[in-house]
Amino acid sequence: MTSPDPADLAALRPQLPSPVQEIADGRFGRHGIRLLLKRDDLIHPDLIGNKWRKLAPNLAAAAGRTVVTFGGAYSNHLRATAAAGRLLGLPTVGVVRGQELSARPLNPSLARCAADGMRLHFVDRSTYRRKSEPETLAGILRTVDAVDAYVVPEGGSNSLAVRGCRALGEELRARADVDVDADVPVDVVALACGTGGTLAGLAAGLGPDQRALGIPVLKGGFLAADIERLQERAFGGRRGDWSLDDRFHFGGYARVPAELDAFAGDFEQRHGVPVERLYVAKLLYGLVALADEGAFPRGSTVAAVITGRPFP
């Protein structure tokens, strides 16, 4: 099988740079803050948002080999990888956290992966935690009969992905061309974070007078160290002005309590923008709270990166 080269990936017709949309929202306007949405959810119908930016360089590097990657039962990354395999003719294997899931009907997310041709392999949670250890990984690859596979880590966050996400920062580096007004300087770029790869690359692409703000969707407070490691591997050290606010995970990944769901539904009604619940809703909720706290000086422009859309 031949490798997908950059021309093959271009044939998928990504919309790059992704568009920027200004939102008139009184919750920001009353504090003198201008809110922009960086619509990465519109890059590609199947490889959405940061998934395109992270997967594209890895798909080229796979050189036609089977792609093996990892995720939970509702992983956006697994779905995107499976879709990429279908579109490019690459075999894919998804290693799924939770051996107990193998005896249950596939949920809609995993069913989509299977429909796109991904082979699913379920492992117990203890093995999954050790998946990056060489012996454990080698055992998994032998079990799925893919010892020569190209391995992409959970969430797609490796050095290639981080460098791919630098373009996101560069697209917002000095200004954003929005639908109602050109050349709008951006002060803060905010996004929801899972594994931290997108923030690591984004921050490296921003200008010296801009900062990146990450809203982690998992609890635990471990992400800052992970992002520093990703930047070290990708760029040789910390890059850009970035920080995290850990207060808006709502109990952890895939936790969507009624308050958050109601907030997301209200945002959709106000602005006609579909709000993905696991990541984007937490980002937007956090930005509203931060605006009320005075975290952004009056006159600031904040760009929120919309990294995904609701599924299914």
Side-chain angles (χ1 to χ4, degrees):
M1 183 177 294
T2 59
S3 167
D5 61 23
D8 295 323
L9 297 176
L12 298 180
R13 298 180 180 176
Q15 181 173 339
L16 291 170
S18 59
V20 178
Q21 175 183 0
E22 181 162 16
I23 293 294
D25 191 310
R27 294 170 293 186
F28 295 89
R30 65 172 174 259
H31 300 296
I33 299 165
R34 193 170 190 175
L35 178 65
L36 309 179
L37 303 183
K38 176 65 167 164
R39 297 295 302 273
D40 263 23
D41 58 313
L42 301 178
I43 288 178
H44 191 276
D46 293 302
L47 305 181
I48 299 168
N50 58 345
K51 302 311 175 190
W52 171 274
R53 297 185 188 275
K54 295 163 83 173
L55 275 174
N58 278 289
L59 293 170
R65 288 174 286 167
T66 297
V67 174
V68 173
T69 194
F70 303 83
Y74 293 91
S75 169
N76 295 324
H77 169 68
L78 286 184
R79 288 202 310 275
T81 304
R86 169 175 56 81
L87 293 167
L88 295 171
L90 285 174
T92 59
V93 177
V95 180
V96 184
R97 180 180 62 247
Q99 179 64 45
E100 71 278 4
L101 299 175
S102 63
R104 302 175 186 172
L106 297 179
N107 66 32
S109 185
L110 293 177
R112 175 67 63 83
C113 292
D116 279 339
M118 175 176 274
R119 288 194 289 131
L120 299 175
H121 175 65
F122 298 88
V123 299
D124 64 85
R125 294 168 189 273
S126 175
T127 299
Y128 192 89
R129 284 194 294 271
R130 304 194 310 274
K131 62 188 178 298
S132 60
E133 298 175 5
E135 288 188 9
T136 302
L137 177 59
I140 291 172
L141 295 179
R142 287 194 300 270
T143 300
V144 300
D145 193 24
V147 293
D148 295 322
Y150 182 84
V151 178
V152 179
E154 182 178 27
S157 291
N158 58 12
S159 294
L160 281 177
V162 170
R163 288 193 286 269
C165 289
R166 180 168 51 189
L168 172 58
E170 291 169 348
E171 290 173 22
L172 293 166
R173 183 176 177 87
R175 56 184 55 85
D177 295 333
V178 301
D179 47 8
V180 295
D181 186 12
D183 298 342
V184 178
V186 175
D187 302 295
V188 180
V189 182
L191 77 162
C193 301
T195 54
T198 305
L199 179 63
L202 159 68
L206 292 176
D209 296 328
Q210 298 172 295
R211 66 183 178 95
L213 170 65
I215 304 295
V217 301
L218 293 84
K219 62 181 179 179
F222 56 85
L223 197 57
D226 288 352
I227 295 169
E228 289 184 352
R229 280 192 292 269
L230 287 167
Q231 289 197 323
E232 175 68 33
R233 293 168 184 163
F235 308 120
R238 184 171 175 132
R239 292 290 185 275
D241 180 2
W242 58 267
S243 62
L244 301 172
D245 193 316
D246 290 297
R247 295 177 294 159
F248 305 107
H249 53 69
F250 282 86
Y253 184 71
R255 301 290 178 86
V256 185
E259 179 186 7
L260 182 63
D261 188 54
F263 169 86
D266 175 70
F267 195 95
E268 290 173 331
Q269 286 190 329
R270 287 175 185 241
H271 304 300
V273 175
V275 177
E276 187 272 335
R277 281 0 186 216
L278 304 188
Y279 288 85
V280 177
K282 295 179 180 181
L283 165 67
L284 296 172
Y285 185 100
L287 290 179
V288 170
L290 287 165
D292 283 340
E293 293 173 3
F296 309 117
R298 183 170 289 274
S300 297
T301 296
V302 177
V305 183
I306 308 303
T307 49
R309 60 172 176 263
F311 176 84

